[in-house]
Amino acid sequence: MDINYTMQSARRPFLYRSRAWISIAIIAPVSIATIFSSPGFILSDMGRVSLAIIGWLMFFTGAIFRWWATLYIGGRKDTRVGMICDGPYSIIRHPLYFGTILMGFSIAFFVQSICLAVALVLTAVIYLGLTLPKEEDALTGIYGDNYRAYMARVPGIWPNWSHYQSGDVITVELKGLRAEFIRMLRWMWIPFLAHALQHARLTEWWPQLLSVW
């Protein structure tokens, strides 16, 4: 293991280093309670279909954002490349996180759970609140005033399409695309599993220990 990396990790704040475990501590119990419960409200067929459509739209929008961002930055997180502020990075500073949030939040629509939606929002706020300041401090240390001006111009986690700009040609790193493709394969099973779990929750044989909205 790299000694310098170990020392840098040790100097990071405890909450920053524990942000993944904090997220799991919030999401896991709410997810388990949602799965082994009866729905707190019963929707009509049209209502269930509408929520499923919204879930799929959010999932694919998030996936598209991640692919779009990967085309510009995948495999090129190198200071020699310079700041990347075209394409998705011209409308939002963290398009990869934005895409991940949309994909994750779609689960609440698939399983039709208000409690899970609230838990996902809380988790996103905590995780990003611990992560983004550290990452942006590091980028400010690398790029200085250029990154400060970029932060002042481009929103952090919600796109502003009026700022969009991009060159006619971009250089694409296949290494980054391959890595993102592998990640997407890990994500693709989630909507189908969520649909199956929601269907199971509506059956009589499924263990329903409590009622969760």
Side-chain angles (χ1 to χ4, degrees):
M1 180 179 290
D2 191 323
I3 295 177
N4 290 332
Y5 177 80
T6 303
M7 292 177 64
Q8 290 174 3
S9 298
R11 286 196 295 267
R12 293 172 179 171
F14 173 77
L15 289 177
Y16 176 82
R17 288 183 281 115
S18 305
R19 64 197 189 282
W21 290 110
I22 294 172
S23 300
I24 292 172
I26 297 172
I27 292 295
V30 178
S31 298
I32 294 172
T34 299
I35 291 172
F36 295 106
S37 68
S38 59
F41 53 91
I42 303 298
L43 295 172
S44 64
D45 290 342
M46 182 59 68
R48 289 195 295 271
V49 170
S50 297
L51 288 182
I53 291 173
I54 294 173
W56 280 109
L57 288 175
M58 292 185 70
F59 184 85
F60 280 116
T61 300
I64 289 170
F65 250 91
R66 286 195 57 91
W67 275 104
W68 189 23
T70 302
L71 287 175
Y72 281 79
I73 203 171
R76 295 194 293 154
K77 294 183 179 180
D78 190 327
T79 57
R80 292 172 297 179
V81 175
M83 281 180 55
I84 298 174
C85 40
D86 287 342
Y89 290 90
S90 66
I91 62 174
I92 183 173
R93 298 199 302 273
H94 304 285
L96 287 169
Y97 283 129
F98 178 70
T100 301
I101 289 171
L102 288 181
M103 293 172 69
F105 198 65
S106 69
I107 299 172
F109 286 85
F110 290 130
V111 299
Q112 300 167 22
S113 171
I114 295 174
C115 289
L116 184 57
V118 172
L120 288 168
V121 170
L122 178 61
T123 301
V125 170
I126 293 174
Y127 187 91
L128 296 179
L130 294 171
T131 303
L132 298 189
K134 296 293 293 183
E135 292 189 357
E136 295 192 327
D137 283 348
L139 290 169
T140 301
I142 295 171
Y143 298 113
D145 289 340
N146 287 336
Y147 195 78
R148 292 187 186 94
Y150 174 67
M151 290 176 63
R153 184 178 72 254
V154 178
I157 205 64
W158 189 259
N160 185 340
W161 292 93
S162 65
H163 291 168
Y164 177 76
Q165 63 178 24
S166 182
D168 294 331
V169 178
I170 63 172
T171 301
V172 177
E173 291 280 353
L174 292 180
K175 178 175 65 175
L177 289 179
R178 284 195 296 268
E180 184 61 21
F181 177 73
I182 293 172
R183 293 189 194 98
M184 291 306 301
L185 290 179
R186 296 170 184 164
W187 276 86
M188 278 305 299
W189 61 269
I190 292 178
F192 299 102
L193 177 60
H195 271 300
L197 287 173
Q198 176 58 15
H199 177 74
R201 291 176 69 210
L202 298 174
T203 61
E204 294 182 356
W205 55 268
W206 187 256
Q208 298 175 340
L209 307 180
L210 64 163
S211 179
V212 174
W213 285 76

